[in-house]
């Protein structure tokens, strides 16, 4: 079997008496979208935070890109190519689409963010930023202010910023939140193509999106993975239906 890009091994995290992550072991393989679903408070964000380095596990490990990253912080993990998107918008609203993409490209080279003029003159950076914008379909809007973009376009721009870092995996916590039906549909189509760029670990409530996109689904309940499988396997799993999907699903 192909080596997973990202793997958690027995990740456990308590808040007081509550076990928010209870020995969670799962992996993300090349080319796939692996969705994590579960009721509110199941521990999805807690898991994502440990994967990205924002929260330390009490025990267990995270492996990424062939190494143990459990002790690395978020910045070090991002440098290895772990791209977290949609959590806190990192976009600068007054700046243009291209300037925002350049921020990402500059970050990749470890330079300070402020010096626009040299950055705009740096053909290599500009090429990288424009290639990322092209990849997400925003190149024609390169001169548009970020504040004039739709909600969905901003999410695409966030992905473009992440793409300038040559990500090896995407981690997304509820990207569809706040989008209307149209927005969700177009973001679903976009994420569908993005899996060719790098695999995606996707926490999402929108079950239409999850069922349309996921190669595998893991179901988290009270901090535990109660099932992992294909869409059909998860839909047919009686334990999952009881715990989460409801009898009507
Ligand atoms: P989900 O994202 O699945 O809705 P969370 O990971 O946010 O779930 O939360 C899992 C549980 O851990 C919840 O009961 C939540 O209240 C608790 N929790 C999350 N973060 C903290 C924290 N920083 N301090 C104390 N309890 C927390
Ligand atoms: Mg959450």
């Amino acid at each position: 079997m192909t080596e997973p890009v990202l793997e958690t091994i027995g990740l456990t995290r308590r808040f007081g008496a509550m076990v928010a992550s209870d020995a969670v072991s799962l992996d993300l393989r090349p080319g796939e979208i692996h969705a994590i679903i579960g009721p509110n408070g199941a521990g999805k964000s807690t898991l994502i935070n440990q994967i990205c380095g924002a929260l330390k596990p009490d025990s267990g490990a995270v492996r990424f890109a062939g190494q143990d990253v459990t002790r690395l912080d978020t910045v070090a993990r991002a440098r290895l190519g772990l791209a977290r998107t949609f959590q806190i918008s990192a976009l600068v609203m007054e700046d243009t689409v291209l300037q925002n993409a350049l921020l990402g490209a500059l970050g990749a080279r470890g330079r300070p963010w402020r010096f626009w003029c040299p950055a705009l003159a740096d053909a290599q950076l500009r090429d990288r930023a424009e290639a990322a914008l092209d990849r997400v379909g925003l190149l024609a809007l390169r001169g548009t202010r970020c504040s004039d973009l739709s909600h969905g376009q901003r999410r695409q721009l966030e992905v473009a910023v992440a793409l300038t870092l040559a990500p090896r995996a995407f981690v997304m916590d509820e990207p569809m939140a706040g989008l209307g039906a149209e927005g969700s549909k177009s973001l679903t189509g976009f994420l569908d193509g993005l899996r060719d760029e790098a695999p995606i670990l996707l926490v999402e409530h929108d079950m239409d999106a999850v069922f349309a996109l996921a190669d595998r689904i893991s179901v988290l309940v009270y901090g535990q993975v109660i099932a992992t499988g294909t869409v059909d396997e998860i839909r047919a799993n009686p334990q999952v239906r009881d715990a989460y999907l409801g009898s009507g699903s």
Side-chain angles (χ1 to χ4, degrees), residues 15 18 20 39-46:
F15 292 115
M18 194 207 2
N40 275 328
K44 303 180 296 296
S45 294
T46 299

Side-chain angles (χ1 to χ4, degrees), residues 148-212:
D148 292 331
L149 297 179
S150 72
H151 213 61
Q153 286 171 329
R154 284 179 202 163
R155 299 209 158 173
Q156 285 171 229
L157 180 54
E158 288 178 10
V159 170
V161 171
L163 281 175
T164 61
L165 289 161
R168 285 194 251 214
F170 291 102
V171 176
M172 303 180 181
D173 195 353
E174 301 194 25
M176 308 290 170
L179 298 182
E182 270 309 299
S184 297
K185 219 172 137 190
S186 93
L187 188 59
T188 299
F190 176 68
L191 295 183
D192 198 17
L194 192 64
R195 89 180 91 200
D196 298 335
E197 207 80 46
I200 306 172
L201 191 67
L202 174 71
V203 169
E204 186 49 59
H205 266 301
D206 179 335
M207 295 309 295
D208 289 339
V210 167
F211 288 147

Side-chain angles (χ1 to χ4, degrees), residues 2-23:
T2 347
E3 175 94 346
V5 178
L6 175 68
E7 192 177 6
T8 71
I9 303 148
L11 269 193
T12 299
R13 170 70 198 214
R14 295 182 182 82
F15 292 115
M18 194 207 2
V19 189
S21 292
D22 192 352

Side-chain angles (χ1 to χ4, degrees), residues 9-158:
I9 303 148
L11 269 193
T12 299
R13 170 70 198 214
R14 295 182 182 82
F15 292 115
M18 194 207 2
V19 189
S21 292
D22 192 352
V24 175
S25 295
L26 50 78
D27 64 23
L28 180 67
R29 298 170 191 164
E32 76 168 345
I33 296 182
H34 187 160
I36 315 276
I37 63 171
N40 275 328
K44 303 180 296 296
S45 294
T46 299
L47 176 63
I48 295 296
N49 284 332
Q50 291 170 95
I51 288 171
C52 295
L55 188 68
K56 281 196 169 62
D58 293 322
S59 58
V62 180
R63 290 186 59 80
F64 177 62
Q67 60 180 284
D68 188 326
V69 298
T70 318
R71 287 164 195 282
L72 299 185
D73 65 14
T74 50
V75 175
R77 291 183 206 197
R79 285 214 182 99
L80 286 174
L82 188 60
R84 182 180 196 165
T85 58
F86 308 127
Q87 185 61 17
I88 300 156
S89 179
L91 302 177
V92 183
M93 288 299 148
E94 316 82 71
D95 285 348
T96 65
V97 165
L98 178 60
Q99 284 170 330
N100 272 280
L102 277 165
L103 277 183
L106 276 169
R109 298 233 311 222
R111 290 235 208 111
W113 290 11
R114 304 184 283 284
F115 307 115
W116 290 124
C117 295
L120 285 165
D122 188 325
Q124 212 188 335
L125 279 178
R126 205 184 157 104
D127 285 352
R128 181 144 40 130
E130 290 187 342
L133 291 176
D134 194 24
R135 178 68 191 76
V136 305
L138 287 179
L139 190 55
L141 296 178
R142 57 157 94 67
T144 302
R145 273 158 68 109
C146 184
S147 54
D148 292 331
L149 297 179
S150 72
H151 213 61
Q153 286 171 329
R154 284 179 202 163
R155 299 209 158 173
Q156 285 171 229
L157 180 54
E158 288 178 10

